[in-house]
Amino acid sequence: MTAPTPRGAGRRSRRRTARWAVAAALCLAGALTLGSAPSATAASAGDPLTRYDHQRLHWKSCRLGPDDATGKDLEHAGAQCADVTVPLDYARPMGRTITVAISRIRAADTAHRIGALLLNSGGPGGRTIGDPPWVRAAMKEVGKRYDVVGVDPRFVGRSTPLDCHWPTGSMFRGAGTGRAGFDRMVAFSAGLARRCRTYAGDLIPYATTRNTARDMDVIRAALGERRISYLGYSYGSYLGQVYATMFPDRTDRVVLDGVIDPARYGPRLLLSAQQANRDALGDWAVWAAAHDAAYGLGHSRSAVLATVNAVRSAAARTPLRLGTHRVDEHIVPVLVFNGLSQDNPTAYGDLARAVRDLRRAADGRTVTPSPWLADSLDFLLTGHDSTYGSAQTSILCGDMAAPHDPETYWRDLTRAGSRDRIFAPVANDINPCAFWAPPRERPTTIRGDLRALLVNATGDPRTVYQGAEAVRRRWPGSRLVTLRGADQHAVFGVFGSPCVDATVNAYLATGLPPADDVTCSRPAA
């Protein structure tokens, strides 16, 4: 999964993009401050959640200090931030509490205000608190009619953190080429799970999508809204489906971009994306071949793909040295996978430079990795982003159970064979969910129909197009906006399709979905 990165972003966004594949101290909330008036949908006086619905939010500057770039961007856009107090365990609402951090750009056109639009940019584990400025810009004039609200979900970003003290930011790895490599991944995954039990065992039972949806409803009530509109990307599309199922009368306009089929969601969610990633890699190879003068990876698609496979084979023999990092057969496939979520020259160039650096390292040359590769290696091979991987994994494992027997994964890897040495070893590999306690709740059975606007590119290598089609069939009242001809994950406000953006904004403005599904062609270069 991945979250969208706005076009034109700089190094901060490169680091953010590098995290997607895919604070140590617990900050507990203090006493709740009750507002003088109840929220628009306050629960009955006997409901223990009433005190959360009634809480008064203390809006403040979003800047945490002089070096807080996210806070600076929010402040420049006129946003303010607040902490919402929620129960750690909704089965015991009078017990321990945590905080969920939110940001808000208020509606400028108050005479025609529609309501609050809550955002989730995916992951799971993705930060969304910094997204209102670029989403508000993508919404154009209709954005003035909404309070645009970014949310760092529980245990993410500025919310109460969950940190397993991992030496990596991701649970995903390639299984390698033989049993010895797979056994290393069994030990690696078991070690990650053990760290979570050791360092965050009091929190991980409550890291679930259902609890995140419950938090969303507390936010809705604390904002004084009877209903909320919602824009969710990638994993956020699944969260939106869960929220609409659990709270069916509390949604207004719902946009799901990069649609997850709930039947395919879970700890092994990458299984359905193997072919889409192979196709995306081939399309990138065509582009790289056309730019061989710049990157030197080969004059043809097949030559570029041969370079990628040569790099993987070299790393399997001897780990490649790039700066302070050692890159082996378990890391190279994840680097390629992480480089394929955005279909634009900037992202393609980042991956091309990374493969060039890897090939030079395979040739024994001293290499200083390019910025995107350096960020990706820091993410995968250091604990810098431990909190991201910890939260993502806890949610995936907490939502649905995974097979516990390592032999299940080994059989799947053996069955996949050697035809695909890049993506099959990632999609079929074991992960920490194999060593996780069973989920505390059953997975949500998603409601049968919802009037939502679904958005997906046909070549999306994360949330594959077939998933969007499946949800569309399940929801006759919804409409599907298709972007054809792009290997793009997350479209609205990200890819630059006037057709998609106009369709979404018309729906957000009127609440009326298109009469029929909409197909948008890729804009001419």
Side-chain angles (χ1 to χ4, degrees):
M1 300 301 99
T2 182
T5 301
R7 289 172 297 136
R11 185 176 175 84
R12 283 183 287 111
S13 290
R14 284 200 300 271
R15 173 171 289 280
R16 178 181 179 185
T17 302
R19 282 201 293 267
W20 302 92
V22 177
L26 177 67
C27 300
L28 296 178
L32 289 171
T33 302
L34 301 185
S36 57
S39 67
T41 57
S44 65
D47 188 337
L49 290 179
T50 299
R51 68 181 187 132
Y52 299 97
D53 290 348
H54 284 204
Q55 65 184 292
R56 174 177 293 161
L57 302 181
H58 295 279
W59 295 98
K60 58 193 176 184
S61 169
C62 296
R63 292 189 71 171
L64 301 181
D67 298 326
D68 178 13
T70 297
K72 182 178 180 181
D73 290 345
L74 286 165
E75 186 174 80
H76 185 263
Q80 289 187 306
C81 289
D83 292 322
V84 181
T85 302
V86 299
L88 173 66
D89 181 0
Y90 277 87
R92 296 187 300 158
M94 302 305 290
R96 188 176 178 182
T97 61
I98 58 175
T99 58
V100 175
I102 66 174
S103 61
R104 180 179 67 179
I105 300 176
R106 303 204 71 166
D109 186 356
T110 56
H112 302 95
R113 182 181 180 274
I114 295 170
L117 176 71
L118 265 64
L119 312 177
N120 184 278
S121 60
R127 302 178 181 183
T128 308
I129 200 168
D131 289 352
W134 71 262
V135 172
R136 167 66 187 80
M139 294 170 71
K140 302 187 184 302
E141 288 302 307
V142 70
K144 297 178 181 179
R145 301 174 61 192
Y146 281 92
D147 291 354
V148 183
V149 181
V151 181
D152 277 354
R154 61 169 49 204
F155 308 134
V156 171
R158 298 187 183 193
S159 299
T160 296
L162 185 161
D163 190 357
C164 298
H165 295 264
W166 280 3
T168 180
S170 176
M171 72 175 185
F172 295 108
R173 291 289 190 274
T177 55
R179 183 69 198 217
F182 173 71
D183 288 343
R184 285 194 295 272
M185 291 302 95
V186 172
F188 174 77
S189 297
L192 295 182
R194 184 169 56 251
R195 283 175 175 262
C196 283
R197 291 192 297 271
T198 299
Y199 294 107
D202 56 336
L203 298 180
I204 56 175
Y206 311 105
T208 67
T209 298
R210 289 179 63 83
N211 279 333
T212 300
R214 293 176 177 118
D215 293 345
M216 285 173 55
D217 205 55
V218 170
I219 293 168
R220 174 202 58 77
L223 291 172
E225 303 288 341
R226 293 185 181 278
R227 297 190 298 171
I228 54 172
S229 294
Y230 178 77
L231 170 61
Y233 293 88
S234 191
Y235 161 79
S237 74
Y238 177 71
L239 173 61
Q241 295 176 59
V242 171
Y243 180 81
T245 297
M246 295 177 65
F247 304 98
D249 299 325
R250 296 178 183 171
T251 59
D252 185 5
R253 299 159 203 199
V254 176
V255 180
L256 307 180
D257 189 328
V259 185
I260 290 180
D261 178 359
R264 297 177 180 269
Y265 171 77
R268 307 190 76 191
L269 78 175
L270 299 184
L271 285 171
S272 63
Q274 296 175 78
Q275 185 59 53
N277 276 278
R278 286 192 286 267
D279 292 342
L281 180 63
D283 290 342
W284 167 81
V286 171
W287 182 91
H291 294 81
D292 183 60
Y295 304 106
L297 302 181
H299 291 288
S300 65
R301 176 184 183 275
S302 59
V304 173
L305 293 177
T307 298
V308 173
N309 282 314
V311 165
R312 182 204 56 78
S313 297
R317 292 191 297 270
T318 304
L320 310 181
R321 181 175 300 181
L322 290 101
T324 60
H325 298 297
R326 302 295 180 270
V327 180
D328 61 15
E329 61 181 332
H330 304 294
I331 297 299
V332 168
V334 183
L335 290 171
V336 177
F337 175 84
N338 282 356
L340 289 173
S341 72
Q342 302 296 295
D343 186 344
N344 61 66
T346 299
Y348 275 11
D350 284 341
L351 180 57
R353 278 184 286 273
V355 173
R356 182 182 63 190
D357 289 347
L358 291 165
R359 188 186 64 181
R360 289 173 175 174
D363 292 339
R365 298 167 64 177
T366 300
V367 176
T368 299
S370 56
W372 180 85
L373 180 57
D375 287 345
S376 297
L377 293 175
D378 285 346
F379 172 61
L380 291 168
L381 296 173
T382 75
H384 180 83
D385 283 304
S386 169
T387 53
Y388 173 79
S390 301
Q392 179 179 78
T393 302
S394 297
I395 293 166
L396 288 170
C397 302
D399 281 348
M400 296 183 186
H404 285 278
D405 184 1
E407 296 306 312
T408 299
Y409 302 87
W410 177 246
R411 284 194 298 271
D412 289 347
L413 285 161
T414 302
R415 200 174 295 123
S418 60
R419 185 174 70 90
D420 177 1
R421 295 283 195 179
I422 299 293
F423 302 115
V426 177
N428 291 278
D429 197 14
I430 197 167
N431 63 59
C433 297
F435 305 95
W436 220 260
R440 293 168 66 90
E441 296 185 78
R442 293 178 180 272
T444 305
T445 301
I446 302 300
R447 61 185 289 183
D449 193 16
L450 178 69
R451 290 176 62 86
L453 193 65
L454 314 175
V455 182
N456 227 94
T458 53
D460 188 334
R462 295 293 181 272
T463 51
V464 297
Y465 184 67
Q466 291 78 8
E469 291 181 308
V471 173
R472 172 66 179 89
R473 288 192 296 270
R474 205 171 292 130
W475 290 353
S478 67
R479 294 292 181 267
L480 174 59
V481 183
T482 298
L483 173 64
R484 293 210 170 276
D487 300 329
Q488 173 69 26
H489 182 55
V491 180
F492 171 68
V494 180
F495 183 72
S497 167
C499 172
V500 171
D501 291 357
T503 304
V504 172
N505 283 329
Y507 168 68
L508 291 173
T510 65
L512 300 175
D516 297 298
D517 293 343
V518 176
T519 298
C520 300
S521 299
R522 181 186 183 123

